[in-house]
Amino acid sequence: MRWGELSGLHRHRIDQRRSRLFVVEVNTKSGIKEYPMSSKSRREVPLPPHVLESLERHIHRLDRDAVVFTTITKGRAGRLLDDGNWRRQTWWPTVEGAYYFDSDGEQQLVPHYPPHSMRHTCASWLVQKGVSLYEVQHLLGHESLQTTQRYAHLQPDAHKAVLGAWERLDVPLTVAA
């Protein structure tokens, strides 16, 4: 999800029974706006079980119409998140102290990427696992397939289907001399 979509998510847009959420509102500098970037941005996002479990623990006390993610600072709790403040006070300090273990078992600092890069990472992983560009387009809410096609080179065996189609043609292709 985009930052504004996630920070504008309302509790009643999470369908726990079907394990998905609906992107309908977006948080902007002027408050919650009912329609995201484009008509394609309104969409369903499937939730893996571990994400749904975490969300359920977070939302169980929220009113039906409450925004899911808000400020928690004492005296200011419950306000809409501001992208700049959230990055400065939450994202960057968290990334600063985060580590991972590389393939050699060595502890490494997590690279300093902005939150939006997680959308790109998600799309890349999905394409690498064989999810069609069409499905990735709809999941990310891209208006144009061209936007999603930047991930096409990551498809496993990207040309295998084309080669297979050439081989299955009834009449072989020949080059006129």
Side-chain angles (χ1 to χ4, degrees):
M1 294 174 68
R2 296 174 181 96
W3 161 260
E5 295 168 347
L6 189 60
S7 63
L9 178 65
H10 287 77
R11 187 194 190 293
H12 68 276
R13 301 292 185 200
I14 300 169
D15 184 341
Q16 293 166 269
R17 187 178 52 77
R18 292 177 54 215
S19 194
R20 64 192 64 225
L21 61 80
F22 299 90
V23 178
V24 178
E25 294 91 7
V26 63
N27 181 15
T28 68
K29 292 200 181 296
S30 56
I32 300 290
K33 184 173 131 183
E34 189 160 336
Y35 302 103
M37 290 177 61
S38 69
S39 61
K40 299 266 185 185
S41 294
R42 283 184 85 125
R43 62 196 188 279
E44 291 183 21
V45 177
L47 300 171
H50 69 280
V51 173
L52 183 61
E53 288 170 18
S54 293
L55 265 176
E56 286 173 335
R57 284 193 303 273
H58 178 74
I59 67 173
H60 79 281
R61 291 189 188 138
L62 295 178
D63 292 336
R64 181 183 189 284
D65 292 325
V67 173
V68 174
F69 302 107
T70 60
T71 58
I72 58 171
T73 307
K74 188 174 181 180
R76 303 179 72 125
R79 296 183 184 185
L80 289 176
L81 294 173
D82 173 84
D83 184 31
N85 286 342
W86 181 82
R87 285 176 190 236
R88 196 170 37 262
Q89 296 172 5
T90 305
W91 180 261
W92 294 121
T94 301
V95 171
E96 282 288 324
Y99 294 90
Y100 72 98
F101 292 96
D102 65 17
S103 58
D104 295 327
E106 298 290 322
Q107 188 173 337
Q108 304 290 333
L109 279 171
V110 169
H112 289 169
Y113 292 117
H116 191 77
S117 63
M118 298 301 107
R119 263 177 70 82
H120 294 274
T121 300
C122 175
S124 298
W125 287 350
L126 290 172
V127 169
Q128 289 172 19
K129 292 295 184 185
V131 176
S132 75
L133 290 176
Y134 176 79
E135 286 297 321
V136 174
Q137 174 192 7
H138 290 284
L139 178 66
L140 297 181
H142 289 156
E143 184 72 22
S144 164
L145 183 61
Q146 290 174 323
T147 305
T148 312
Q149 284 178 323
R150 72 179 72 172
Y151 306 105
H153 70 282
L154 300 170
Q155 285 181 296
D157 303 322
H159 300 294
K160 191 175 187 177
V162 173
L163 292 172
W166 291 135
E167 291 170 7
R168 289 188 305 276
L169 285 174
D170 289 337
V171 179
L173 297 175
T174 57
V175 177

